[in-house]
mmCIF file of all heavy atoms in Angstrom:
data_model
loop_
_atom_site.group_PDB
_atom_site.id
_atom_site.type_symbol
_atom_site.label_atom_id
_atom_site.label_comp_id
_atom_site.label_asym_id
_atom_site.label_seq_id
_atom_site.Cartn_x
_atom_site.Cartn_y
_atom_site.Cartn_z
ATOM 1 N N SER A 637 17.787 9.938 -1.180
ATOM 2 C CA SER A 637 16.792 9.978 -2.243
ATOM 3 C C SER A 637 15.784 11.063 -1.931
ATOM 4 O O SER A 637 15.580 11.393 -0.765
ATOM 5 C CB SER A 637 16.076 8.631 -2.380
ATOM 6 O OG SER A 637 15.370 8.338 -1.195
ATOM 7 N N PRO A 638 15.167 11.648 -2.969
ATOM 8 C CA PRO A 638 14.200 12.718 -2.718
ATOM 9 C C PRO A 638 13.106 12.268 -1.762
ATOM 10 O O PRO A 638 12.474 11.257 -1.973
ATOM 11 C CB PRO A 638 13.630 13.008 -4.118
ATOM 12 C CG PRO A 638 14.695 12.555 -5.058
ATOM 13 C CD PRO A 638 15.326 11.366 -4.393
ATOM 14 N N GLY A 639 12.932 13.027 -0.702
ATOM 15 C CA GLY A 639 11.881 12.692 0.249
ATOM 16 C C GLY A 639 12.355 11.845 1.399
ATOM 17 O O GLY A 639 11.717 11.806 2.439
ATOM 18 N N GLY A 640 13.483 11.129 1.235
ATOM 19 C CA GLY A 640 14.029 10.341 2.326
ATOM 20 C C GLY A 640 12.988 9.518 3.030
ATOM 21 O O GLY A 640 12.310 8.692 2.438
ATOM 22 N N ARG A 641 12.853 9.729 4.331
ATOM 23 C CA ARG A 641 11.962 8.924 5.161
ATOM 24 C C ARG A 641 10.500 9.123 4.806
ATOM 25 O O ARG A 641 9.659 8.325 5.193
ATOM 26 C CB ARG A 641 12.190 9.251 6.629
ATOM 27 C CG ARG A 641 11.731 10.630 7.038
ATOM 28 C CD ARG A 641 12.281 11.010 8.390
ATOM 29 N NE ARG A 641 13.722 11.195 8.321
ATOM 30 C CZ ARG A 641 14.472 11.459 9.382
ATOM 31 N NH1 ARG A 641 13.916 11.551 10.558
ATOM 32 N NH2 ARG A 641 15.773 11.619 9.262
ATOM 33 N N TYR A 642 10.151 10.186 4.100
ATOM 34 C CA TYR A 642 8.757 10.425 3.738
ATOM 35 C C TYR A 642 8.299 9.572 2.565
ATOM 36 O O TYR A 642 7.117 9.392 2.358
ATOM 37 C CB TYR A 642 8.535 11.903 3.365
ATOM 38 C CG TYR A 642 8.706 12.845 4.524
ATOM 39 C CD1 TYR A 642 9.920 13.472 4.748
ATOM 40 C CD2 TYR A 642 7.655 13.101 5.387
ATOM 41 C CE1 TYR A 642 10.081 14.345 5.812
ATOM 42 C CE2 TYR A 642 7.807 13.974 6.468
ATOM 43 C CZ TYR A 642 9.018 14.586 6.670
ATOM 44 O OH TYR A 642 9.176 15.438 7.717
ATOM 45 N N ARG A 643 9.234 9.055 1.769
ATOM 46 C CA ARG A 643 8.867 8.408 0.514
ATOM 47 C C ARG A 643 7.942 7.214 0.731
ATOM 48 O O ARG A 643 7.071 6.935 -0.097
ATOM 49 C CB ARG A 643 10.139 7.970 -0.236
ATOM 50 C CG ARG A 643 9.887 7.211 -1.512
ATOM 51 C CD ARG A 643 9.001 7.982 -2.471
ATOM 52 N NE ARG A 643 9.718 9.056 -3.138
ATOM 53 C CZ ARG A 643 9.140 9.893 -3.987
ATOM 54 N NH1 ARG A 643 7.846 9.807 -4.217
ATOM 55 N NH2 ARG A 643 9.838 10.836 -4.565
ATOM 56 N N ALA A 644 8.093 6.522 1.838
ATOM 57 C CA ALA A 644 7.253 5.340 2.062
ATOM 58 C C ALA A 644 5.802 5.689 2.358
ATOM 59 O O ALA A 644 4.931 4.855 2.205
ATOM 60 C CB ALA A 644 7.825 4.514 3.210
ATOM 61 N N LEU A 645 5.555 6.916 2.802
ATOM 62 C CA LEU A 645 4.210 7.271 3.235
ATOM 63 C C LEU A 645 3.506 8.251 2.313
ATOM 64 O O LEU A 645 2.289 8.385 2.377
ATOM 65 C CB LEU A 645 4.273 7.893 4.640
ATOM 66 C CG LEU A 645 4.909 7.025 5.725
ATOM 67 C CD1 LEU A 645 4.939 7.776 7.032
ATOM 68 C CD2 LEU A 645 4.132 5.741 5.871
ATOM 69 N N VAL A 646 4.240 8.948 1.486
ATOM 70 C CA VAL A 646 3.666 10.001 0.662
ATOM 71 C C VAL A 646 4.091 9.799 -0.776
ATOM 72 O O VAL A 646 5.251 9.522 -1.059
ATOM 73 C CB VAL A 646 4.129 11.395 1.144
ATOM 74 C CG1 VAL A 646 3.534 12.487 0.267
ATOM 75 C CG2 VAL A 646 3.764 11.618 2.597
ATOM 76 N N HIS A 647 3.129 9.950 -1.687
ATOM 77 C CA HIS A 647 3.456 9.873 -3.100
ATOM 78 C C HIS A 647 3.248 11.243 -3.713
ATOM 79 O O HIS A 647 2.143 11.775 -3.726
ATOM 80 C CB HIS A 647 2.577 8.856 -3.823
ATOM 81 C CG HIS A 647 2.856 8.797 -5.289
ATOM 82 N ND1 HIS A 647 3.961 8.177 -5.805
ATOM 83 C CD2 HIS A 647 2.184 9.322 -6.350
ATOM 84 C CE1 HIS A 647 3.956 8.289 -7.122
ATOM 85 N NE2 HIS A 647 2.897 8.997 -7.474
ATOM 86 N N SER A 648 4.339 11.835 -4.194
ATOM 87 C CA SER A 648 4.253 13.146 -4.821
ATOM 88 C C SER A 648 5.430 13.289 -5.770
ATOM 89 O O SER A 648 6.179 12.333 -6.012
ATOM 90 C CB SER A 648 4.255 14.243 -3.746
ATOM 91 O OG SER A 648 3.962 15.499 -4.324
#
Side-chain angles (χ1 to χ4, degrees):
S637 63
R641 69 194 68 184
Y642 293 95
R643 176 55 76 182
L645 303 178
V646 179
H647 178 76
S648 189

